[in-house]
Amino acid sequence: MEKTKNFQKILLPLTVILIVLLAGILFPQLTSFVIKPFESFNLEVEIPKTYEEVLAGENMWFTTKLLNLGSEKRKDVTLKYEVFDADRKLKSSKSETVAVETQASFVGDIGIPKNSEEGPHFLKVTLISPFGEYEAETSFNVIKEETKNQVIIKFSLFDIQIAIPNDYKIIYPGDELLASIKLVNLGSAGRIDVFLEYWIIDSEQKAILRNKETVAVETQANFVRTFDIPKDVKPGKYSLHAKLIYADGKKAEAENSFEVVKKQIDKKIYYGLTGLLGLIILISIIYKSGHLVKKIQLWVKVRRIVKKREIK
Amino acid sequence: MTSLLIITSVEKLQSRINSIIKSFINIPGIYVSLNKTQKSTENILQEAGIDTKKLFFIDCVTSERTRDDVVHIAPTELDLLSSAINDFIKDIKGEEFLIIDALSTLLIYNHENEVAKFVKKVTEFASQHDTQVAAFSPATKGEELLNDDIFNFFDKVEK
């Protein structure tokens, strides 16, 4: 009787463990809720210097950076943006759903109510995923009167250009694409931070790469950016797009195209190999002919020796 | 019998060579000397009462040309060696014989397969021209220097 009780004591937890394991195999999605966190995110929020002071009644611009440490699978997550005043009183909020793979960066904006008090405010970003919630926070200043920054933002009028050097117009899968980006602030009144988005699309408008950054520009900025083209891209025409977002949502866009071709043997390697092969053939001919000459000389000598003996 | 491989003790090797050469009365021969210079071989043979005037020497030991009627070939040049043997066989009118002294020396400079190929080439050509071949090799205690692949190309192997 005692033995049976002991057996039941062991059997019950064992059965539970077995059921959980079996459920994990059969319904992985279900267990990911039970056994969490399988996914882990790193969340950051950043306000460029130009936008650290926001006029009440206008939009505040910022960047949210997400890093999925748990997996490389594409996941939909919700980002909740909340603005609090100095007394931690909620002033405005906004939510959006975004798709994240390994990492992503989003340019976001949120309206600052006109009746907001002047002074420090907080921007809180909450990532809501089935695996948990992650938070990041930063601060900014609400102002009532225009500062130099606001004037710069207001009068800025940007143009963006993309140039792809000829050497990079035709590239191979896995190569690096180099592009020269030129930003010109036609209404320049001073230094301003702008958000830049890059993406590469194929002829079917399918994106193969996305990238984002924030840069500071005064009158104009020229810089070079490189993009690692995935090794598995199909040969074809591709275009690199760049979008610049600045000054309360104003945008400028540019694009340039390039071609991905199937990798063939490099011409230098081809000529090198052909040359090497030629050299091997030449050496072989010289060696063979040398050997043949030796054989002929030997034959002549043998003939001479035998004849000499015959005469004697 | 056109080809014969004789494996005998080092002490008996020279006397066996001498007796084989003596058995070819008035027949010219090609002597491939692989472990002695032509000069020393000729002296040994003359001392044994053999008329060396009927012998054509291929010296594989020294490259020093002391006489015009001696062919010098390095033991590594098996192709040239077989070519010279063939030339002699073709050019000597009538009957002739071939002495290889000592076949196992070739294994010092060449791979077994190369030596086997050389033996095949020579014995085959000799057989086509009715040339008697006698190759010698010193017998060793323990491991055999020449393997079965080489033995197979000879009509007879004497141990």
Side-chain angles (χ1 to χ4, degrees):
Chain A
M1 194 66 178
E2 191 65 31
K3 270 186 181 177
T4 317
K5 272 185 181 175
N6 282 340
F7 181 69
Q8 279 174 343
K9 268 183 194 174
I10 300 162
L11 193 69
L12 191 70
L14 260 175
T15 315
V16 173
I17 292 166
L18 273 172
I19 290 167
V20 171
L21 283 173
L22 200 68
I25 295 161
L26 296 173
F27 311 103
Q29 281 173 327
L30 177 76
T31 48
S32 63
F33 284 102
V34 181
I35 309 160
K36 69 175 181 179
F38 269 52
E39 304 289 323
S40 171
F41 288 95
N42 188 8
L43 181 69
E44 277 177 36
V45 59
E46 197 181 281
I47 302 172
K49 217 170 170 58
T50 317
Y51 304 95
E52 278 175 355
E53 287 185 327
V54 188
L55 262 177
E58 292 202 346
N59 278 0
M60 206 235 350
W61 290 80
F62 54 91
T63 315
T64 309
K65 286 177 184 167
L66 287 177
L67 186 65
N68 186 356
L69 305 166
S71 90
E72 290 180 2
K73 283 179 187 169
R74 195 176 170 87
K75 299 230 157 36
D76 282 335
V77 293
T78 304
L79 288 172
K80 189 166 91 179
Y81 310 114
E82 291 167 301
V83 173
F84 297 95
D85 62 12
D87 302 324
R88 302 299 295 185
K89 205 174 143 192
L90 184 69
K91 299 301 289 180
S92 66
S93 71
K94 182 182 171 182
S95 290
E96 64 176 334
T97 303
V98 292
V100 189
E101 270 177 35
T102 325
Q103 59 179 21
S105 180
F106 305 97
V107 176
D109 67 286
I110 188 164
I112 307 299
K114 249 189 174 169
N115 60 359
S116 297
E117 292 287 318
E118 227 176 2
H121 279 65
F122 302 95
L123 169 69
K124 186 174 142 191
V125 179
T126 310
L127 182 148
I128 303 155
S129 81
F131 316 107
E133 290 189 1
Y134 301 83
E135 289 176 358
E137 200 174 280
T138 188
S139 62
F140 63 97
N141 259 327
V142 171
I143 50 170
K144 289 282 186 185
E145 281 177 26
E146 269 184 355
T147 60
K148 193 190 166 194
N149 266 350
Q150 271 64 47
V151 176
I152 293 168
I153 291 168
K154 195 178 274 180
F155 289 101
S156 284
L157 183 61
F158 271 93
D159 187 24
I160 182 169
Q161 289 162 19
I162 303 175
I164 296 174
N166 281 344
D167 284 354
Y168 292 86
K169 278 280 183 189
I170 296 170
I171 55 170
Y172 300 124
D175 271 5
E176 199 174 57
L177 172 73
L178 186 139
S180 165
I181 316 291
K182 188 177 180 180
L183 306 178
V184 185
N185 189 353
L186 302 166
S188 175
R191 195 177 176 83
I192 180 172
D193 286 310
V194 294
F195 300 97
L196 275 171
E197 279 184 39
Y198 307 102
W199 67 99
I200 293 171
I201 53 168
D202 60 16
S203 53
E204 290 163 3
Q205 308 297 307
K206 196 180 155 197
I208 60 156
L209 197 142
R210 281 184 188 279
N211 218 341
K212 283 178 190 191
E213 65 174 332
T214 310
V215 290
V217 193
E218 210 153 310
T219 36
Q220 74 171 50
N222 285 295
F223 49 90
V224 169
R225 289 289 175 267
T226 54
F227 305 91
D228 293 325
I229 303 299
K231 279 181 182 170
D232 55 356
V233 293
K234 286 175 187 164
K237 299 254 182 203
Y238 288 82
S239 51
L240 168 66
H241 290 253
K243 185 161 82 177
L244 183 147
I245 305 168
Y246 66 104
D248 207 2
K250 281 194 240 172
K251 287 170 190 171
E253 267 192 62
E255 71 164 284
N256 207 323
S257 61
F258 62 98
E259 198 176 348
V260 175
V261 292
K262 209 175 173 185
K263 207 162 195 163
Q264 287 169 340
I265 299 173
D266 192 72
K267 273 187 179 174
K268 279 180 189 171
I269 296 170
Y270 174 76
Y271 289 132
L273 282 174
T274 314
L276 192 71
L277 192 72
L279 198 69
I280 290 167
I281 292 169
L282 193 72
I283 290 168
S284 161
I285 290 168
I286 291 168
Y287 174 77
K288 286 269 180 193
S289 58
H291 199 68
L292 193 70
V293 168
K294 269 187 189 175
K295 271 191 174 181
I296 293 166
Q297 283 174 341
L298 207 61
W299 172 71
V300 172
K301 190 171 183 177
V302 168
R303 179 155 274 208
R304 206 184 62 232
I305 293 167
V306 175
K307 279 210 167 169
K308 211 174 169 183
R309 292 276 179 95
E310 277 172 2
I311 295 161
K312 278 181 182 176
Chain B
M1 194 65 62
T2 56
S3 60
L4 171 71
L5 172 65
I6 297 165
I7 299 165
T8 184
S9 65
V10 181
E11 299 83 32
K12 287 179 186 170
L13 193 68
Q14 193 56 52
S15 61
R16 287 301 305 272
I17 295 169
N18 296 347
S19 61
I20 289 282
I21 297 173
K22 280 177 183 171
S23 69
F24 295 112
I25 304 158
N26 282 326
I27 296 172
I30 306 145
Y31 196 112
V32 181
S33 181
L34 287 156
N35 52 9
K36 290 186 284 291
T37 61
Q38 172 272 328
K39 201 177 172 184
S40 95
T41 307
E42 195 169 17
N43 286 341
I44 292 165
L45 294 175
Q46 280 172 349
E47 278 169 23
I50 293 165
D51 180 12
T52 54
K53 282 175 191 165
K54 288 211 172 284
L55 290 176
F56 296 92
F57 286 99
I58 299 176
D59 186 344
C60 297
V61 176
T62 178
S63 56
E64 197 188 335
R65 283 163 198 194
T66 47
R67 271 169 55 177
D68 279 349
D69 60 347
V70 176
V71 173
H72 297 269
I73 298 167
T76 48
E77 304 264 32
L78 290 182
D79 190 42
L80 284 183
L81 185 58
S82 65
S83 180
I85 293 168
N86 293 357
D87 290 340
F88 271 118
I89 290 173
K90 275 191 283 182
D91 287 347
I92 297 168
K93 283 172 189 168
E95 270 188 285
E96 69 277 309
F97 66 92
L98 169 70
I99 303 288
I100 301 174
D101 173 24
L103 188 63
S104 54
T105 311
L106 288 177
L107 291 169
I108 301 169
Y109 306 98
N110 306 281
H111 190 266
E112 276 177 14
N113 295 343
E114 297 299 315
V115 176
K117 269 187 216 171
F118 164 79
V119 172
K120 182 189 180 284
K121 229 184 206 179
V122 171
T123 52
E124 213 170 65
F125 195 78
S127 164
Q128 285 163 8
H129 290 79
D130 291 325
T131 305
Q132 308 267 351
V133 179
F136 295 86
S137 182
T140 51
K141 285 171 187 172
E143 208 181 333
E144 200 74 68
L145 283 171
L146 302 172
N147 63 18
D148 287 345
D149 290 339
I150 295 171
F151 289 169
N152 289 336
F153 296 117
F154 289 95
D155 296 330
K156 195 182 173 188
V157 178
E158 269 183 29
K159 286 185 186 179

